[in-house]
Amino acid sequence: MDELAQMIDPRRADVRIEFGVARAEFAQQTANRAAAELWLAIAEILDEARLAPDVYVDSTLPIRAGERSEFAVRAAAADLAVRLRISEPAVRGHAFDADTLRTRLPRLWAMFCDGDVTPSNARTAADLVRSLPDEAGPAARFDDALAGIAELAPGRFRMRARVLRERIHSIALAERVEAAAHTRGVWIDNDIDGMAFLTMKLPAEVAHRVFARVDSHARTLAREADETRSLAQLRADAAGDLLLDGILEGGRVPRVSVAVTVPVMTLLGHEEEPGILEGYGPIDAQTARRLAAHAPSFTRLLTHPVTGALLDVDRAVYRPPADLKRWLEVTDVTCAFPGCTRLARNSDIDHIVDRQFGGQTRAGNLVHLCRHHHRLKHMTRWTVRATDRDPGCRVEWSSPTGHRRAQDPPPF
Ligand SMILES: [Zn+2]
């Protein structure tokens, strides 16, 4: 049998899988295009209703023109909801997103129409651009930046897009932080089967320290031999104990540390470049300086004024092996598998080239993988190799079906 005949031989499982993947890719692109088409059709119908309300509202009804248009739009949305078998808020949401994308992110909208952006990423982009001031400059820069990351999986896209928005925003971060701090609060929502949600909105540095403390205690308990609760259950129990009684089961108060990365010039007060809070992203210069200077539960990292490279991990606090681990946690941010958003500090450190094949324990050969992707690498035909294409992309993946994919760009 010649080579071509073998490549398309349907008796081979790998050939059938290859065709299956192509079929799924084609369907995905078609679905993306169809979603853009749906949103656009709905937006245009609502525009028509606004301009020609008589189709939906009796022209003899004695109401003001504005009201007539508003009722026409409501009637059109209800009509669409019934005919498309979706909710009225979904109809209004699709129209709102289509309008936002068409007017403020035309490049991303064009990619969505071509099927190269998923509806989920399109929705995230529309949400975020609406939170930018209504000016052309920042929106255009945001549009260009988003076009470059449109292929990321939803979690990674949201993470990165949020950080890009911070950089592009025309109002200083410190000013926004001050305004947003007024929106802090605690909410309770009832769930079914005897459960309820307790939600808190806090300044990011407080929320991350609270979570780090609860998480660290849960991990300590999880190591005990007779412990059967999952990590999620242990965190919930620890948080409940702390808030109700102010004490933790076992009485230990874990020492936890969250890293804050501060540009040298910001630390010295010469610049207002934002710092980076580990697991969160940019924080305003003033908060970064305060945390770096006064809070003992933060690991302080300094970056070079020009290159942004890490200069120093707080050596007074961490011994060398811990230093290396900490440095990697902060530079990797998340698991190195494409699309994965699990934080590096909750992941395993893996040798890219295994020790048994001469791989060394040095930064260039170590990478963070969450437990799930760590197993995938060792138990399946997924492989990873080091690459030096740019400082933010240290590894490249090869899938069992021969698909190659570089590590996602760092989120911060
Ligand atoms: Zn992962």
Side-chain angles (χ1 to χ4, degrees), residues 189-267:
D189 293 296
N190 292 330
D191 195 24
I192 54 170
D193 297 333
M195 301 297 280
F197 292 94
L198 182 67
T199 311
M200 290 183 232
K201 184 172 183 181
L202 298 166
E205 87 268 14
V206 178
H208 275 265
R209 271 160 72 199
V210 168
F211 187 83
R213 187 170 188 201
V214 165
D215 179 65
S216 154
H217 186 68
R219 282 170 198 276
T220 308
L221 291 178
R223 279 193 289 272
E224 283 173 18
D226 55 349
E227 186 54 69
T228 55
R229 289 172 288 178
S230 72
L231 206 52
Q233 291 165 348
L234 286 165
R235 283 193 200 110
D237 295 347
D241 286 349
L242 261 180
L243 288 173
L244 271 182
D245 306 321
I247 36 170
L248 286 163
E249 182 187 337
R252 282 175 297 257
V253 179
R255 183 185 157 77
V256 292
S257 125
V258 176
V260 57
T261 309
V262 197
V264 165
M265 293 315 221
T266 297
L267 189 70

Side-chain angles (χ1 to χ4, degrees), residues 17-272:
I17 287 168
E18 202 50 56
F19 276 98
V21 171
R23 188 175 153 201
E25 281 175 339
F26 180 73
Q28 168 82 75
Q29 208 176 35
T30 309
N32 294 346
R33 266 201 302 264
E37 180 65 24
L38 173 70
W39 296 11
L40 181 60
I42 290 174
E44 287 181 349
I45 291 165
L46 298 194
D47 284 346
E48 293 281 4
R50 195 170 294 114
L51 294 173
D54 293 355
V55 177
Y56 294 96
V57 181
D58 184 349
S59 59
T60 61
L61 202 68
I63 49 174
R64 283 184 292 111
E67 256 182 318
R68 187 179 303 280
S69 285
E70 183 44 42
F71 276 115
V73 170
R74 284 188 208 174
D79 181 34
L80 281 166
V82 170
R83 291 172 70 162
L84 300 173
R85 294 178 288 273
I86 57 178
S87 71
E88 287 178 45
V91 169
R92 300 293 286 253
H94 290 334
F96 192 30
D97 288 341
D99 287 340
T100 303
L101 291 168
R102 279 190 298 166
T103 52
R104 303 194 66 191
L105 300 173
R107 205 172 148 192
L108 197 78
W109 171 251
M111 289 172 77
F112 184 31
C113 293
D114 286 342
D116 296 331
V117 175
T118 58
S120 156
N121 284 2
R123 215 170 287 125
T124 300
D127 263 350
L128 287 174
V129 77
R130 281 195 285 264
S131 71
L132 283 174
D134 196 7
E135 303 161 10
R141 285 204 301 282
F142 196 44
D143 196 14
D144 286 342
L146 291 179
I149 59 163
E151 60 159 14
L152 294 179
R156 290 293 290 215
F157 181 80
R158 173 174 291 281
M159 218 175 184
R160 182 84 187 125
R162 204 169 53 81
V163 172
L164 291 170
R165 173 194 167 277
E166 296 291 347
R167 298 219 179 113
I168 283 163
H169 212 295
S170 55
I171 300 172
L173 182 55
E175 209 175 303
R176 282 182 281 133
V177 166
E178 208 184 307
H182 292 294
T183 67
R184 67 191 184 276
V186 179
W187 297 268
I188 188 152
D189 293 296
N190 292 330
D191 195 24
I192 54 170
D193 297 333
M195 301 297 280
F197 292 94
L198 182 67
T199 311
M200 290 183 232
K201 184 172 183 181
L202 298 166
E205 87 268 14
V206 178
H208 275 265
R209 271 160 72 199
V210 168
F211 187 83
R213 187 170 188 201
V214 165
D215 179 65
S216 154
H217 186 68
R219 282 170 198 276
T220 308
L221 291 178
R223 279 193 289 272
E224 283 173 18
D226 55 349
E227 186 54 69
T228 55
R229 289 172 288 178
S230 72
L231 206 52
Q233 291 165 348
L234 286 165
R235 283 193 200 110
D237 295 347
D241 286 349
L242 261 180
L243 288 173
L244 271 182
D245 306 321
I247 36 170
L248 286 163
E249 182 187 337
R252 282 175 297 257
V253 179
R255 183 185 157 77
V256 292
S257 125
V258 176
V260 57
T261 309
V262 197
V264 165
M265 293 315 221
T266 297
L267 189 70
L268 296 174
H270 297 323
E271 270 177 16
E272 293 301 297

Side-chain angles (χ1 to χ4, degrees), residues 217-385:
H217 186 68
R219 282 170 198 276
T220 308
L221 291 178
R223 279 193 289 272
E224 283 173 18
D226 55 349
E227 186 54 69
T228 55
R229 289 172 288 178
S230 72
L231 206 52
Q233 291 165 348
L234 286 165
R235 283 193 200 110
D237 295 347
D241 286 349
L242 261 180
L243 288 173
L244 271 182
D245 306 321
I247 36 170
L248 286 163
E249 182 187 337
R252 282 175 297 257
V253 179
R255 183 185 157 77
V256 292
S257 125
V258 176
V260 57
T261 309
V262 197
V264 165
M265 293 315 221
T266 297
L267 189 70
L268 296 174
H270 297 323
E271 270 177 16
E272 293 301 297
E273 189 71 15
I276 302 284
L277 179 69
E278 183 184 15
Y280 177 73
I283 50 169
D284 66 286
Q286 202 185 333
T287 305
R289 272 195 293 269
R290 179 168 55 76
L291 298 180
H294 306 300
S297 56
F298 285 90
T299 306
R300 185 182 68 186
L301 299 116
L302 299 179
T303 57
H304 190 274
V306 180
T307 62
L310 278 179
L311 289 176
D312 181 39
V313 177
D314 215 347
R315 276 165 205 281
V317 188
Y318 287 92
R319 293 184 306 277
D323 256 7
L324 179 60
K325 187 176 181 310
R326 202 76 187 98
W327 185 84
L328 280 169
E329 276 174 15
V330 175
T331 46
D332 280 354
V333 185
T334 63
C335 163
F337 193 84
C340 189
T341 55
R342 292 190 186 90
L343 288 181
R345 68 164 176 255
N346 300 335
S347 300
D348 302 330
I349 285 193
D350 186 56
H351 284 73
I352 299 170
V353 176
D354 219 80
R355 259 173 301 188
Q356 57 171 322
F357 301 118
Q360 293 175 320
T361 303
R362 57 178 176 80
N365 191 44
L366 298 174
V367 72
H368 275 99
L369 294 180
C370 69
R371 190 56 51 88
H372 170 66
H373 290 122
H374 198 172
R375 286 233 177 91
L376 209 63
K377 183 200 154 193
H378 287 287
M379 307 302 285
T380 74
R381 289 179 193 272
W382 269 99
T383 58
V384 65
R385 65 181 190 87

